[in-house]
Amino acid sequence: MRLRGRHYATGEKIDVDCRGERIVAVRPADTGQPDREAEWIAPAFFDLQINGGDGHAFNSERLTADQVRHVVGVCRRHGIGQLLPTLVTNSFEALRHGLTTLRQCCEDDPALAHALPGIHLEGPYISPEDGPRGAHPRAFVRPPDWDEFCRLQEVAGGRIRLVTLAPEHEGALGFIERLTASGVVVALGHTAASAERLGDAVAAGARLSTHLGNGAHAVLPRHPNYIWDQLADDRLWASIICDGHHLPASVVRCIVRVKTPARIILTCDASSLAGLPPGRYREWDQEFEVLPIGKIVVSGTSYLAGSWAFTDRCVGGVMRMAEVSLAEAIDMASARPRELLGLPAQRLAAGEPADLVLFDWQPGDELRVRATVIAGSEA
Ligand SMILES: [Zn+2]
């Protein structure tokens, strides 16, 4: 298969030849006919926080393998080659069902195992407070419990790679140390912790702020507060949702300037309602509303409940809001999350996996994904 487009970092028009699951050659475009062509070509996106999409939630107590496959297919249409399916605060039984289903999907289907290189557990060990808790159901929020986590990790077959928690819980620091020692990356999020506690959590091993600037009180003391504290800590990377609704442009600019593109990860935080038409939907015994502007809220509140958009929208968003280059934006959506999780980087070079996205884009515009090639074949 021959793919043609401009290299996302150099701008050079190239042909990328793929055979089997690998890239076998990258060279200046010739005059022959390619199999697929778009304005740009880049490594496929990697999103470490996807809750579902198109009406299917990874968190559902009735999650099926077909639904997992469907969401992976939807993500692929948006250039996402790999993702961490994200399970949020729920009962032990519900989490066990989701983790078991995801584990079986990966064991039964090598393509799904490739697409889902880990699982993100966001909660249930988060803040119970209104605001920091976001749309997570309060009834299932609880303090960290190492025995429970070990049982969840066991049913997941060791696939939980990222845990988002609030470090202010009693016992959280020891919990972070144990997670880190077991190879799980710890993220801070849905937290209202003090500056001192946040610093202690980082010292214990926490490395990421999950969707910094969201999952927070609607009103905060101007300073100090936990957003400034996390922003100021150079040891913490930050994931940000650049769908245009979760953060205003000024905040995106500040976070990207302070963290620098080297420590920013783009996530769409796609909700199970991502991509659905406007309307009211019921999930986890709560009502949510998809607004015509592509925004999902808990009905009757201003609290956002995940994103309606996917990673491709966020790549365009961060370029517009923080004035970063295409290369920087793409790297935030592919190289950075891989780096955080200790996975090998994927470059446009012979020998690398043929996991690629072809898209059209003009400065100031949205990205338009034309094709996503995974393991050398187009879905
Ligand atoms: Zn969240």
Side-chain angles (χ1 to χ4, degrees):
M1 181 184 267
R2 175 165 299 174
L3 310 171
R4 182 173 296 162
R6 293 171 68 189
H7 188 297
Y8 79 103
T10 66
E12 183 193 6
K13 195 166 186 179
I14 55 171
D15 280 350
V16 178
D17 291 339
C18 307
R19 196 174 305 134
E21 297 178 354
R22 298 270 154 189
I23 297 172
V24 292
V26 176
R27 53 199 163 69
D30 64 23
T31 53
Q33 184 66 29
D35 296 296
R36 294 291 282 171
E37 183 170 9
E39 285 176 19
W40 299 93
I41 186 165
F45 306 140
F46 185 118
D47 200 306
L48 44 69
Q49 188 160 353
I50 297 219
N51 302 282
D54 207 26
H56 301 302
F58 292 128
N59 236 48
S60 166
E61 290 167 44
R62 293 176 299 281
L63 180 71
T64 66
D66 282 345
Q67 291 174 346
V68 174
R69 199 167 285 113
H70 182 81
V71 174
V72 167
V74 170
C75 287
R76 196 166 284 192
R77 293 205 295 274
H78 293 276
I80 304 163
Q82 291 180 300
L83 58 124
L84 298 192
T86 300
L87 297 185
V88 305
T89 302
N90 211 333
S91 68
F92 177 82
E93 285 309 317
L95 292 172
R96 179 163 71 178
H97 175 75
L99 294 169
T100 304
T101 306
L102 290 166
R103 172 192 180 161
Q104 281 169 353
C105 285
C106 293
E107 287 176 354
D108 295 347
D109 184 342
L112 285 180
H114 179 74
L116 310 174
I119 297 168
H120 181 173
L121 185 62
E122 187 192 23
Y125 316 124
I126 57 162
S127 168
E129 285 183 47
D130 286 350
R133 196 181 73 251
H136 292 228
R138 184 204 285 269
F140 298 122
V141 171
R142 47 200 185 263
D145 178 335
W146 181 248
D147 289 339
E148 182 189 46
F149 175 78
C150 290
R151 279 182 283 148
L152 293 171
Q153 183 66 296
E154 194 180 338
V155 295
R159 286 180 166 77
I160 300 172
R161 288 187 94 114
L162 179 63
V163 171
T164 294
L165 54 76
E168 57 267 42
H169 280 293
E170 197 182 331
L173 299 179
F175 187 76
I176 293 170
E177 285 171 359
R178 291 171 110 166
L179 281 176
T180 303
S182 75
V184 174
V185 174
V186 176
L188 306 177
H190 293 279
T191 172
S194 67
E196 187 185 359
R197 194 66 169 183
L198 289 165
D200 289 346
V202 176
R207 297 175 56 201
L208 175 74
S209 294
T210 285
H211 52 51
L212 186 58
N214 295 112
H217 290 96
V219 177
L220 278 174
R222 69 197 189 290
H223 46 69
N225 67 52
Y226 47 79
I227 296 176
W228 284 114
D229 293 330
Q230 293 179 81
L231 193 56
D233 194 323
D234 289 341
R235 298 168 297 177
L236 278 174
W237 294 25
S239 71
I240 50 173
I241 306 169
C242 292
D243 64 343
H245 300 301
H246 279 74
L247 296 170
S250 60
V251 174
V252 172
R253 283 172 70 97
C254 289
I255 294 176
V256 171
R257 294 288 191 284
V258 170
K259 293 293 179 186
T260 79
R263 287 177 292 144
I264 292 283
I265 289 174
L266 293 185
T267 180
C268 61
D269 196 8
S271 146
S272 56
L273 306 180
L276 287 178
R280 286 172 179 260
Y281 299 89
R282 205 165 173 80
E283 281 213 333
W284 327 331
D285 280 336
Q286 271 194 84
E287 193 168 83
F288 298 96
E289 199 169 353
V290 174
L291 304 178
I293 50 172
K295 184 173 173 178
I296 303 170
V297 295
V298 179
S299 287
T301 77
S302 59
Y303 288 124
L304 291 162
S307 173
W308 180 83
F310 290 91
T311 322
D312 49 348
R313 171 80 61 102
C314 298
V315 172
V318 78
M319 283 190 278
R320 278 196 305 277
M321 291 190 274
E323 293 172 10
V324 295
S325 68
L326 178 66
E328 287 171 323
I330 295 277
D331 282 346
M332 289 175 193
S334 56
R336 287 296 96 69
R338 303 183 66 84
E339 194 181 339
L340 177 79
L341 297 175
L343 297 168
Q346 289 188 349
R347 296 169 301 123
L348 289 184
E352 294 282 329
D355 290 4
L356 303 157
V357 57
L358 288 92
F359 59 94
D360 293 343
W361 171 77
Q362 297 290 330
D365 272 1
E366 301 289 347
L367 256 65
R368 283 193 303 281
V369 172
R370 293 295 184 198
T372 307
V373 171
I374 301 299
S377 65
E378 196 179 339

